[in-house]
PDB file of all heavy atoms in Angstrom:
ATOM      1  N   GLN A  35      -2.524  40.850  43.033  1.00 97.00           N
ATOM      2  CA  GLN A  35      -2.234  39.480  42.597  1.00 97.00           C
ATOM      3  C   GLN A  35      -0.925  38.959  43.089  1.00 97.00           C
ATOM      4  O   GLN A  35      -0.782  37.753  43.554  1.00 97.00           O
ATOM      5  CB  GLN A  35      -2.328  39.321  41.085  1.00 97.00           C
ATOM      6  CG  GLN A  35      -3.652  39.527  40.579  1.00 97.00           C
ATOM      7  CD  GLN A  35      -3.684  39.575  38.922  1.00 97.00           C
ATOM      8  OE1 GLN A  35      -2.658  39.991  38.289  1.00 97.00           O
ATOM      9  NE2 GLN A  35      -4.824  39.089  38.345  1.00 97.00           N
ATOM     10  N   LEU A  36       0.111  39.761  43.128  1.00 97.00           N
ATOM     11  CA  LEU A  36       1.398  39.325  43.527  1.00 97.00           C
ATOM     12  C   LEU A  36       1.333  39.172  45.079  1.00 97.00           C
ATOM     13  O   LEU A  36       1.795  38.030  45.657  1.00 97.00           O
ATOM     14  CB  LEU A  36       2.422  40.428  43.278  1.00 97.00           C
ATOM     15  CG  LEU A  36       2.931  40.630  41.878  1.00 97.00           C
ATOM     16  CD1 LEU A  36       3.803  41.821  41.615  1.00 97.00           C
ATOM     17  CD2 LEU A  36       3.550  39.320  41.419  1.00 97.00           C
ATOM     18  N   ALA A  37       0.566  39.958  45.806  1.00 98.00           N
ATOM     19  CA  ALA A  37       0.469  39.743  47.320  1.00 98.00           C
ATOM     20  C   ALA A  37      -0.313  38.496  47.440  1.00 98.00           C
ATOM     21  O   ALA A  37       0.125  37.632  48.402  1.00 98.00           O
ATOM     22  CB  ALA A  37      -0.202  40.883  47.916  1.00 98.00           C
ATOM     23  N   GLY A  38      -1.296  38.181  46.780  1.00 97.00           N
ATOM     24  CA  GLY A  38      -2.061  36.911  46.953  1.00 97.00           C
ATOM     25  C   GLY A  38      -1.191  35.674  46.644  1.00 97.00           C
ATOM     26  O   GLY A  38      -1.271  34.704  47.289  1.00 97.00           O
ATOM     27  N   ARG A  39      -0.481  35.781  45.664  1.00 97.00           N
ATOM     28  CA  ARG A  39       0.388  34.679  45.320  1.00 97.00           C
ATOM     29  C   ARG A  39       1.489  34.356  46.452  1.00 97.00           C
ATOM     30  O   ARG A  39       1.706  33.316  46.822  1.00 97.00           O
ATOM     31  CB  ARG A  39       1.141  34.837  43.970  1.00 97.00           C
ATOM     32  CG  ARG A  39       0.214  34.721  42.829  1.00 97.00           C
ATOM     33  CD  ARG A  39       1.026  35.157  41.526  1.00 97.00           C
ATOM     34  NE  ARG A  39       0.093  35.168  40.392  1.00 97.00           N
ATOM     35  CZ  ARG A  39       0.336  35.579  39.111  1.00 97.00           C
ATOM     36  NH1 ARG A  39       1.716  35.839  38.868  1.00 97.00           N
ATOM     37  NH2 ARG A  39      -0.507  35.511  38.227  1.00 97.00           N
ATOM     38  N   ALA A  40       1.980  35.524  46.901  1.00 98.00           N
ATOM     39  CA  ALA A  40       2.943  35.400  48.020  1.00 98.00           C
ATOM     40  C   ALA A  40       2.308  34.894  49.321  1.00 98.00           C
ATOM     41  O   ALA A  40       2.918  34.096  49.986  1.00 98.00           O
ATOM     42  CB  ALA A  40       3.552  36.814  48.307  1.00 98.00           C
ATOM     43  N   LEU A  41       1.065  35.238  49.650  1.00 98.00           N
ATOM     44  CA  LEU A  41       0.345  34.693  50.796  1.00 98.00           C
ATOM     45  C   LEU A  41       0.005  33.207  50.620  1.00 98.00           C
ATOM     46  O   LEU A  41       0.152  32.478  51.610  1.00 98.00           O
ATOM     47  CB  LEU A  41      -0.975  35.573  51.029  1.00 98.00           C
ATOM     48  CG  LEU A  41      -1.803  35.275  52.140  1.00 98.00           C
ATOM     49  CD1 LEU A  41      -0.810  35.629  53.424  1.00 98.00           C
ATOM     50  CD2 LEU A  41      -2.966  36.038  52.285  1.00 98.00           C
ATOM     51  N   VAL A  42      -0.321  32.889  49.402  1.00 98.00           N
ATOM     52  CA  VAL A  42      -0.610  31.379  49.153  1.00 98.00           C
ATOM     53  C   VAL A  42       0.674  30.652  49.410  1.00 98.00           C
ATOM     54  O   VAL A  42       0.765  29.514  50.034  1.00 98.00           O
ATOM     55  CB  VAL A  42      -1.160  31.181  47.887  1.00 98.00           C
ATOM     56  CG1 VAL A  42      -1.205  29.686  47.467  1.00 98.00           C
ATOM     57  CG2 VAL A  42      -2.591  31.691  47.742  1.00 98.00           C
ATOM     58  N   GLY A  43       1.801  31.147  48.781  1.00 97.00           N
ATOM     59  CA  GLY A  43       3.096  30.530  48.977  1.00 97.00           C
ATOM     60  C   GLY A  43       3.524  30.334  50.410  1.00 97.00           C
ATOM     61  O   GLY A  43       4.092  29.318  50.856  1.00 97.00           O
ATOM     62  N   LEU A  44       3.351  31.463  51.153  1.00 98.00           N
ATOM     63  CA  LEU A  44       3.728  31.381  52.736  1.00 98.00           C
ATOM     64  C   LEU A  44       2.892  30.397  53.381  1.00 98.00           C
ATOM     65  O   LEU A  44       3.242  29.836  54.275  1.00 98.00           O
ATOM     66  CB  LEU A  44       3.554  32.859  53.220  1.00 98.00           C
ATOM     67  CG  LEU A  44       4.771  33.710  52.786  1.00 98.00           C
ATOM     68  CD1 LEU A  44       4.458  35.182  53.308  1.00 98.00           C
ATOM     69  CD2 LEU A  44       6.181  33.330  53.322  1.00 98.00           C
ATOM     70  N   THR A  45       1.651  30.253  53.065  1.00 98.00           N
ATOM     71  CA  THR A  45       0.686  29.385  53.739  1.00 98.00           C
ATOM     72  C   THR A  45       1.072  27.971  53.480  1.00 98.00           C
ATOM     73  O   THR A  45       1.228  27.075  54.328  1.00 98.00           O
ATOM     74  CB  THR A  45      -0.765  29.609  53.214  1.00 98.00           C
ATOM     75  OG1 THR A  45      -1.145  30.995  53.445  1.00 98.00           O
ATOM     76  CG2 THR A  45      -1.718  28.800  53.888  1.00 98.00           C
ATOM     77  N   VAL A  46       1.402  27.593  52.311  1.00 98.00           N
ATOM     78  CA  VAL A  46       1.872  26.330  51.881  1.00 98.00           C
ATOM     79  C   VAL A  46       3.281  25.885  52.646  1.00 98.00           C
ATOM     80  O   VAL A  46       3.319  24.877  53.231  1.00 98.00           O
ATOM     81  CB  VAL A  46       2.082  26.200  50.425  1.00 98.00           C
ATOM     82  CG1 VAL A  46       2.786  24.862  50.040  1.00 98.00           C
ATOM     83  CG2 VAL A  46       0.722  26.215  49.608  1.00 98.00           C
ATOM     84  N   VAL A  47       4.209  26.850  52.613  1.00 98.00           N
ATOM     85  CA  VAL A  47       5.438  26.650  53.292  1.00 98.00           C
ATOM     86  C   VAL A  47       5.223  26.521  54.822  1.00 98.00           C
ATOM     87  O   VAL A  47       5.775  25.753  55.536  1.00 98.00           O
ATOM     88  CB  VAL A  47       6.552  27.806  52.859  1.00 98.00           C
ATOM     89  CG1 VAL A  47       7.756  27.636  53.776  1.00 98.00           C
ATOM     90  CG2 VAL A  47       6.848  27.639  51.484  1.00 98.00           C
ATOM     91  N   GLY A  48       4.414  27.320  55.277  1.00 97.00           N
ATOM     92  CA  GLY A  48       4.097  27.323  56.830  1.00 97.00           C
ATOM     93  C   GLY A  48       3.353  26.046  57.142  1.00 97.00           C
ATOM     94  O   GLY A  48       3.666  25.455  58.257  1.00 97.00           O
ATOM     95  N   GLY A  49       2.582  25.543  56.280  1.00 97.00           N
ATOM     96  CA  GLY A  49       1.924  24.137  56.631  1.00 97.00           C
ATOM     97  C   GLY A  49       2.885  23.007  56.546  1.00 97.00           C
ATOM     98  O   GLY A  49       2.931  22.173  57.345  1.00 97.00           O
TER      99      GLY A  49
END
Side-chain angles (χ1 to χ4, degrees):
Q35 287 176 334
L36 288 175
R39 290 177 187 174
L41 188 60
V42 168
L44 286 174
T45 303
V46 169
V47 170

